[in-house]
Amino acid sequence: MIEGVVNADHEAVITLPLSHPTGRMLEVEAVIDTGYNGFLTLPAELVADMALPFVGPSRATLANGAVETLDVHEATILWDGQPRDIEADATGGIPLVGMLLLDGHDLSVQVRVGGRVLIEAQT
């Protein structure tokens, strides 16, 4: 089970432990975005600082309809207490959790400031 909170901007936020290639863990605050069909976005500066391995380019259609090419990198996160290798899109924005990362899980959000965000594996 993964828990988070709804912030003052009414965003459902969770903290994801991101594994640095040196082995140390970095806590990343990420917003859940049900309109994003990838795994995770990370700021390009963070991707560069962590020297995450490059996978290749990917085309993405943004909410405003614009099409961009994003760099995709390998990342390892702790997801529900277990290491999980995923693809992370390097962007200029904040970290976003997408639907591929949530696949196989139930998402519950108490939509109010301070409300509980709960992600549970489906049984």
Side-chain angles (χ1 to χ4, degrees):
M1 174 174 34
I2 300 166
E3 293 188 66
V5 68
V6 175
N7 67 16
D9 293 325
H10 284 87
E11 297 167 324
V13 178
I14 61 172
T15 300
L16 283 176
L18 179 64
S19 180
H20 191 279
T22 63
R24 69 179 171 89
M25 298 301 288
L26 175 68
E27 299 276 316
V28 176
E29 188 172 277
V31 173
I32 296 171
D33 183 352
T34 60
Y36 167 53
N37 64 356
F39 287 98
L40 181 68
T41 69
L42 292 171
E45 308 83 42
L46 178 61
V47 170
D49 289 347
M50 294 187 69
L52 296 177
F54 179 70
V55 173
S58 176
R59 292 176 50 90
T61 303
L62 305 181
N64 66 3
V67 177
E68 287 190 13
T69 300
L70 302 175
D71 289 340
V72 180
H73 295 263
E74 292 177 15
T76 302
I77 61 170
L78 281 184
W79 184 252
D80 206 10
Q82 300 297 316
R84 183 169 175 190
D85 295 328
I86 61 165
E87 292 183 347
D89 297 324
T91 67
I94 62 172
L96 299 174
V97 170
M99 293 300 284
L100 276 178
L101 194 52
L102 294 170
D103 187 40
H105 293 75
D106 292 324
L107 171 64
S108 174
V109 180
Q110 293 175 330
V111 184
R112 64 175 184 273
V113 174
R116 185 178 187 199
V117 176
L118 184 62
I119 300 170
E120 293 182 281
Q122 295 172 353
T123 54

